[in-house]
């Protein structure tokens, strides 16, 4: 059924259709609409789930760790400060190999208080062992939520479905909402490989000395590696049932491009328009959308970017003391490729500042016209702030 | 004591608790009363180590190790999952030390109790962060040496009253218990098991290692804590109905303190002050229970 | 449409999750102290002259195992019913419970067991040795002679008892009044001894000649004839009509005579016989006045006897002694000299001297003398130390080659004249004789020493026969050794007695029976000092589950694979039945 819905509600619908069984969440703007809608679903019986109104995000994830360990399907959503508060337990969820699915609305981190789009919150968690899926539009959000469960329950790693604050969470788009029966054909009930069971008691998460910890960590990485292939399988199945697929990356007109822009999230959507216009003017430009960030799709990225002369990464985030995070990862992916392109890093849109077509075009022009990057990161559109001390 | 309770054991020998460990005794008694249809959530505490390293476990019931501050929250999640699966029989127990209950774990506990989550939370109290080497917690009693309240800076703050804090939440059931009173302890655990809603057991579990006490005195010192009114045995239902389970003769506190190395710096004046505090707290409890003071 | 969702090969999933218990950690290797179960000696059993295993008796009684409890008494003392009624129970004076609330009423329980045995016609299963050829003559069928015969029979010997009187029992029959010891009880316990094969010949007096002749038929002779000659006051008027020897008076009553007494009668003396005479006289209608030359606390009579006499209306006049008796009309007039205390002797008894000038007269209907007794004939006195004379705790043994071994026992040698001391005497004699016959004279002292209960002087037959008690530590458990946290105050049972008005109406037994419920309740008050009574505190409090109930062994054992040596079991044992020792480094394997 096609309906115009808010981006947040696309998440809610995804979790509902996925038959999440235990939901535990703490409100934070701009995630609130996600969990409010789910709360309504639980109250009116549309969704047969237990909803825990916990007293912090840390407890929200803690509760899901408990629930997932007991062998049920779980869901939560958060953003920014809430995600940062969960940090300890993000590590825990992956270390415990629990197939938890969480939606994160990319929002800036304080201080100062800023509720608008910024990717630093989720990217700062890139080491925690969660699969990360960045979404461009509401349909992708809903689809990714459904896919997240299939993926998580195959490789036993938690999955984060990520959407931009306000630009995606609070805008309305037409979305194809599948019916429950169709989804059930794609997503079978969760049958855990382990769970807390009085009939078959054992202890989980106990002290693991040096002699064994490293192997457990290797197992997580092995699962991440398997996740690349698993994601392809998930998309294959999803495509067969729903007729849509996204790919870990999407290359738009990259084959003969001299300059390829790399984007993620809603910036991708704006960039498509810019690329079309530039191409119309004869520019040899392409666009690479990154959807799957963890596990980092090395091969796909090398294949898409390897033959370009220059790559311009637009990061709506920053790792202080280094550079934009997508740029870091792409530089690392390409550095051993003979004759690899120069990678230009651009920082734009932090704290919800609008990334307009003008900004993107400027990114392209500066990249095209520079032989090599003069700086590690170029901050776009900085202004002089009056009254600064 | 019911014969079948006496014969059932749910912990294994070979665990790595210190000799004379009160926490091991507490676990043994509580599990005897709860039985095998129990799932335990265990935030970081001494028992996280006592239970043994991978691939061992000292418990015969399913157990989930959890992060330090998450006892109340993880247990809530386990409970929700069991409810979704239609399991109304299994008891969910959060098993935490004083650190994971009074301090870092207090938020999650308060949140869970406020929501009246259907679980039993057991705090075994050895009055400091023993697992990490005897640092002070808000459960450390007035007068105690710890590694973070050493020398002249011995703790001059009273022990936090966790039961009263939860009573203020109108918790469905809260009770104190003590390893030296096994029938009372097991009775309360068995009783709590039959209830629904949030239930809390505060168990006095001596630590010979951290209290600088000979290991063989572990149970005796616990008994003395009750006999001196330092740790009264009582229950509170729904935050209003107080029942004092045992009216001891009220021995003076001096011998209790003199037997423990962690108190050896206390002078007679200090002990007199402490006696006044103990008497004050005891009389307050009597008033709440509607019992006339002695 | 689309196929069923397909499966993939499972992803690597190495998580911290258990598949072994901690039982592979043998935490016993941590230990530097090792606990052990060890029985120790309860103070009551050491204070009992017969060395009865009192703590075990009460334990069995508390468990309702009355048959076994009764047998445990009999192992050391054949007179459960008799001692339960007449013993002065020194055990109760040292009972550790006495420091907690009140001592356990051991004698009431002992009597209960005998009553239960009688009621259910129980037969005891006593350990006995194989029959031997030696025969022993026992002179006197009082408590020491009967006890000696009893223990000799258990050791395999033929014991023949010779008794002057027409019926056996000695002071048990002729001395102790019926209201303290009914005939039925006495007859039952004598019958038990007869059932072991002991032969009792009554109406048979023994003379020095018959004693000499005994050598040809007997290998030993036990002399338990006691002090049957009453002492006299040696004052004028002592032989007047109306003045009677107290013991003889008691004997007459026991033979069925009921002389009618009225008015005031005087009883001179301060021992148990004096009390018996006074209380008997009270029952026959008189108003007895006991006249004693020292103070009440100096009286050799058991304190309880004095109390009961006073409760029955007997008057006590202290620090008085008769100096002359004369008749006036149908009555006797006794001149009494007042005495005063002139210091104390080595035992704390008063030394008295006449308070000159202070005399008074008292008119009485009758006067009974109970100022002590001595041997009827010289040959009954034990010889002094010398060659061939072995002085034991409760007897004197004379060993001369070519003669039967002679043992003087009972009241002939005892400092405290009581039934239980008589039993101790008979036991010691029996064991000493057995040692002489089996191993020789040199074995007597060391082997007797090995049978001591605690530090002695009481002996245990069970230890002599190598029973479980022989493995017990001699250390006596004191009150400070117990963990009294585990006990609750409980009042001691009140001995049920006839009402005061009822007592004087007849010679019916004054103390009444108790039921099994009261008996078990009282027995449960026993702390069981030094003996494990299966309370399971050790098992309950062990943090490592290293205490195992060993049902086959009937008790407990420590699993040293896991025991960390924390010592909780030893401290929480309420009764000090465990010990904590240093772990010998080489003992670990």
């Amino acid at each position: 059924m096609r309906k115009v819905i808010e981006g947040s509600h696309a998440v809610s619908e995804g979790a509902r259709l996925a038959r999440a069984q235990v939901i535990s969440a703490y409100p934070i703007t701009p995630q609130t609409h996600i969990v409010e809608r789910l709360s309504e679903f639980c109250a009116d019986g549309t969704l047969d789930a237990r909803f825990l109104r916990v007293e912090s995000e840390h407890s929200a994830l803690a509760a899901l760790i408990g629930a997932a360990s007991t062998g049920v399907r779980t869901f939560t959503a958060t953003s920014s400060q809430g995600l940062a508060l969960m940090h300890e337990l993000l590590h825990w969820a992956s270390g415990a190999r629990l197939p938890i699915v969480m939606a994160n609305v990319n929002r800036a981190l304080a201080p100062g208080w800023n509720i608008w789009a910024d990717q630093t919150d989720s990217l700062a968690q890139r080491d925690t062992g969660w699969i990360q899926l960045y979404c461009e539009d509401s349909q992708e959000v809903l689809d990714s939520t459904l896919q997240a469960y299939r993926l998580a329950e195959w490789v036993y790693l938690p999955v984060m479905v990520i959407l931009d604050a306000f630009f995606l969470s609070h805008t309305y788009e037409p979305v194809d909402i599948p019916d429950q029966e169709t989804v059930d054909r794609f997503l079978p009930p969760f049958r855990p490989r382990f769970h807390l069971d009085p009939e078959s008691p054992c202890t989980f998460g106990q002290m693991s000395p040096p002699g064994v910890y490293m192997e457990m960590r290797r197992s997580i990485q092995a699962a991440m590696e398997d996740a690349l292939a698993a994601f392809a399988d998930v998309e294959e199945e999803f495509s067969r049932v729903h007729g849509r697929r996204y790919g870990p990356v999407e290359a738009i007109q990259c084959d003969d491009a001299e300059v390829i822009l790399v984007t993620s999230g809603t910036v991708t959507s704006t960039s498509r328009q810019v690329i079309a216009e530039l191409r119309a003017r004869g520019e040899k430009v392409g666009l690479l959308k990154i959807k799957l960030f963890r596990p980092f799709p090395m091969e796909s990225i090398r294949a898409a970017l390897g033959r370009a002369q220059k790559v311009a990464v637009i990061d709506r985030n920053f790792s202080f003391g280094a550079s934009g995070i997508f740029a870091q990862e792409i530089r690392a992916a390409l550095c051993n490729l003979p004759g690899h392109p120069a990678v230009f890093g651009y920082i734009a849109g932090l704290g919800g500042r609008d990334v307009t077509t003008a900004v993107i075009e400027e990114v392209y022009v500066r990249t095209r016209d520079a032989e090599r990057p003069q700086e590690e990161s170029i901050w776009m559109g900085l202004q002089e702030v009056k009254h600064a001390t | 004591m019911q014969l079948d309770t006496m014969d059932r054991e749910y912990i294994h020998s070979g665990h790595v608790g210190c000799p004379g460990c009160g926490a091991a005794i507490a676990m043994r008694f509580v599990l005897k009363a709860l039985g095998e249809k129990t799932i335990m959530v265990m935030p970081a505490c001494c028992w996280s180590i006592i239970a043994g390293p991978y691939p061992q476990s000292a418990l015969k019931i399913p157990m989930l190790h959890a992060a330090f501050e998450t006892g109340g929250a993880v247990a809530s999640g386990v409970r929700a999952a069991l409810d979704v699966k239609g399991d109304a029989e299994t008891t969910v127990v959060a098993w935490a030390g004083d650190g994971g209950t009074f301090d870092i774990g207090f938020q999650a506990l308060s949140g869970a109790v406020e929501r009246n989550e259907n679980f039993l939370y057991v705090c075994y109290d050895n009055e400091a962060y023993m697992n990490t080497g005897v640092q002070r917690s808000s459960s450390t009693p007035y007068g105690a040496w710890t590694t973070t309240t050493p020398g002249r800076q011995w703790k001059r703050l009273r022990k936090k009253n966790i039961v009263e804090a939860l009573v203020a939440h109108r918790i469905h059931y809260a009770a104190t218990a003590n390893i030296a009173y096994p029938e009372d302890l097991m009775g309360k655990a068995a009783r709590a098991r039959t209830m629904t809603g949030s239930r809390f057991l505060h168990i006095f579990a001596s630590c010979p290692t951290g209290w600088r006490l000979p290991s063989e005195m572990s149970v005796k010192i616990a008994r003395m804590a009750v006999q001196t009114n330092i740790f009264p045995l009582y229950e509170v239902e729904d935050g209003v109905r107080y029942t004092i389970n045992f009216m001891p003769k009220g021995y003076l506190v001096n011998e209790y303190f003199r037997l423990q190395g962690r108190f050896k710096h206390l002078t007679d004046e200090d002990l007199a002050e402490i006696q006044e505090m103990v008497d004050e707290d005891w009389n307050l409890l009597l008033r709440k229970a509607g019992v006339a003071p002695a | 449409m689309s196929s069923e969702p397909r499966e993939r090969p499972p992803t690597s999933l190495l998580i911290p999750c258990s598949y072994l218990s901690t039982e592979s950690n043998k935490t016993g290797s941590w230990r530097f102290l090792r606990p052990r179960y060890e029985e120790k000696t309860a103070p009551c059993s050491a204070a009992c002259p017969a060395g009865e295993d009192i703590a075990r008796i009460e334990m069995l009684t508390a468990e309702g195992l009355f048959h076994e409890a009764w047998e445990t008494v009999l192992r050391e003392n054949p007179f459960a019913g008799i001692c339960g009624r007449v013993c002065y129970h020194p055990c109760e004076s040292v009972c550790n419970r006495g420091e907690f609330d009140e001592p356990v009423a051991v004698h009431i329980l002992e009597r209960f067991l005998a009553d239960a045995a009688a009621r259910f016609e129980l037969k005891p299963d006593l350990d006995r040795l194989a029959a031997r050829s030696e025969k022993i003559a026992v002179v006197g069928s009082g408590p020491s002679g009967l006890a000696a015969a009893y223990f000799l029979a258990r050791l395999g010997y033929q014991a023949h008892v010779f008794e002057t009187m027409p019926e056996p029992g000695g002071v048990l029959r002729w001395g102790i009044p019926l209201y303290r010891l009914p005939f039925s009880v006495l007859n039952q316990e004598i019958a038990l001894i007869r059932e072991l094969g002991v032969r009792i010949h009554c109406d048979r007096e023994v003379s020095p000649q018959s004693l000499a002749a005994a050598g040809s038929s007997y290998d030993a002779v036990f002399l338990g004839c006691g002090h049957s000659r009453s002492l006299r006051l040696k004052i004028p008027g002592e032989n007047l009509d109306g003045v009677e020897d107290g013991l003889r008076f008691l004997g007459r009553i026991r033979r069925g005579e009921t002389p009618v007494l009225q008015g005031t009668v005087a009883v001179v003396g301060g021992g148990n016989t004096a009390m018996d005479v006074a209380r008997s006289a009270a029952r026959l209608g008189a108003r007895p006045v006991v006249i004693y030359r020292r103070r009440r606390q100096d009286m050799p009579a058991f304190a309880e006897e004095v109390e009961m006499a006073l409760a029955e209306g007997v008057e006590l006049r202290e620090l008085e002694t008769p100096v002359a008796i004369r008749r006036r009309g149908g009555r006797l007039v006794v001149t009494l000299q007042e005495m005063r205390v002139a210091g104390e002797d080595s035992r704390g008894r008063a030394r008295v001297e006449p308070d000159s000038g202070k005399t008074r007269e008292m008119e009485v209907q009758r006067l009974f003398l109970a100022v002590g007794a001595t041997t009827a004939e010289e040959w009954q006195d034990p010889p002094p130390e010398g060659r061939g004379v072995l002085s034991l705790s409760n007897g004197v043994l004379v060993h001369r080659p070519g003669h039967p071994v002679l043992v003087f026992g009972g009241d002939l040698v005892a400092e405290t004249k009581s039934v239980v001391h008589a039993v101790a005497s008979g036991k010691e004699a029996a064991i000493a004789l057995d040692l002489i016959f089996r191993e020789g004279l040199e074995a007597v002292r060391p082997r007797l020493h090995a049978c001591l209960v605690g530090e002695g002087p009481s002996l245990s037959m069970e230890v002599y026969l190598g029973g479980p008690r022989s493995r017990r530590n001699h250390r006596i458990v004191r009150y400070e050794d117990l963990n009294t946290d585990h006990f609750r105050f409980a009042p001691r049972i009140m001995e049920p007695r006839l009402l005061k008005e009822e007592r004087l109406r007849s010679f019916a037994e004054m103390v009444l029976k108790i039921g099994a419920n009261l008996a078990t309740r009282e027995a449960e008050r026993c702390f069981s000092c030094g003996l494990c009574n299966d309370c399971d505190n050790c098992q309950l409090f062990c943090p490592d589950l290293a205490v195992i109930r060993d049902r086959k062994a009937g008790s407990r054992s420590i699993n040293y694979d896991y025991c960390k040596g924390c010592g909780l079991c030893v401290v929480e044992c309420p009764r000090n039945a465990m010990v904590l020792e240093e772990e010998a480094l080489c003992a670990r394997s």
Side-chain angles (χ1 to χ4, degrees), chain A residues 55 70 88 203-204 207, chain B residues 54 57 63 65 69 85 115:
Chain A
E55 75 297 334
T70 314
E88 175 197 23
T203 293
F204 294 106
M207 204 239 284
Chain B
Y54 177 86
S57 179
M63 195 259 272
H65 285 272
E69 64 278 69
K85 291 164 92 169
R115 295 190 299 276

Side-chain angles (χ1 to χ4, degrees), chain B:
Chain B
M1 202 73 246
Q2 285 237 349
L3 226 54
D4 61 348
T5 312
M6 286 310 289
D7 283 346
R8 309 191 298 199
E9 299 292 350
Y10 294 94
I11 73 172
H12 291 285
S13 300
H15 67 70
V16 296
C18 298
C21 173
I25 298 174
M27 174 70 86
R28 201 180 148 205
F29 289 162
V30 169
L31 290 184
K32 271 174 177 305
L34 295 181
E36 61 187 17
K37 280 222 162 285
T38 303
I39 290 179
M40 181 169 278
V41 169
M42 187 183 289
C45 59
C46 279
W47 252 98
S48 306
I49 303 305
I50 295 173
Y54 177 86
Q56 297 176 343
S57 179
L59 296 185
K60 297 185 188 177
I61 54 160
M63 195 259 272
L64 181 65
H65 285 272
F68 204 175
E69 64 278 69
T70 63
V74 174
S76 301
V78 173
R79 180 73 258 162
L82 290 173
D83 289 346
V84 156
K85 291 164 92 169
D87 180 342
E89 256 193 280
T90 303
T91 307
V92 175
V93 181
W95 181 269
D98 51 290
T101 303
F102 287 56
D103 295 339
I104 198 173
F106 189 70
Q107 179 201 305
L109 170 59
S110 171
V113 168
E114 182 272 328
R115 295 190 299 276
N116 197 26
E117 295 285 357
N118 182 19
F119 75 129
L120 169 61
Y121 190 108
V122 180
C123 170
Y124 66 97
D125 188 357
N126 52 29
E127 302 194 324
Y129 291 96
M130 292 308 182
N131 190 28
T132 45
V134 198
Q135 295 86 19
R136 156 263 205 249
S137 80
S138 64
S139 164
T140 303
Y142 184 98
W145 160 93
T146 64
T147 56
T148 48
T149 56
R152 277 202 298 253
Q153 291 209 323
W154 51 266
K155 189 167 184 267
R156 281 165 216 271
L157 297 166
R158 289 164 105 127
K159 183 188 176 89
K160 181 188 285 190
N161 192 325
I162 190 72
V163 169
E164 294 304 310
L166 294 173
V167 161
H169 290 55
R170 292 292 191 105
I171 187 173
H172 184 49
Y173 178 75
T176 60
N178 184 303
I179 58 168
Y181 293 83
E183 281 188 19
D184 176 78
L185 194 165
M186 287 194 260
K188 284 169 175 164
R191 187 175 170 210
R193 182 173 148 274
T194 63
M195 298 176 166
T196 51
S198 297
R199 298 145 273 156
F200 183 82
L201 266 189
H202 182 197
I203 303 182
F204 188 91
S206 9
C207 173
T209 309
W211 297 5
R212 304 311 198 229
L213 182 75
S215 56
E216 68 266 19
M217 294 297 286
S218 193
V219 172
K220 211 165 166 62
I221 206 75
R223 200 174 289 120
M224 285 170 81
V226 173
Q227 290 167 334
T228 52
N229 292 333
I230 287 170
F231 192 86
L233 293 177
Y234 69 103
E235 298 165 285
V236 189
E237 294 165 274
D238 297 314
V240 285
R241 285 183 305 283
Y242 282 72
T243 307
I244 298 181
N245 306 116
F246 180 59
M247 298 292 267
K249 284 191 161 31
Y251 293 105
L252 295 178
V253 301
N254 293 40
E255 206 198 334
Y256 174 80
F257 284 93
R258 290 277 175 244
L259 283 170
Q260 300 175 59
R262 64 174 172 155
F263 292 123
K264 73 176 192 296
H265 48 273
L266 296 177
T267 63
D268 289 338
E269 290 75 45
D270 295 326
L271 291 181
E273 251 185 75
I274 290 173
Q275 181 70 66
E276 272 181 33
M277 288 194 269
V278 170
D279 292 343
E280 186 184 49
D281 287 342
W282 173 245
N283 284 322
L284 177 60
L285 178 61
L286 290 177
R287 280 204 296 281
K288 288 181 185 173
V291 174

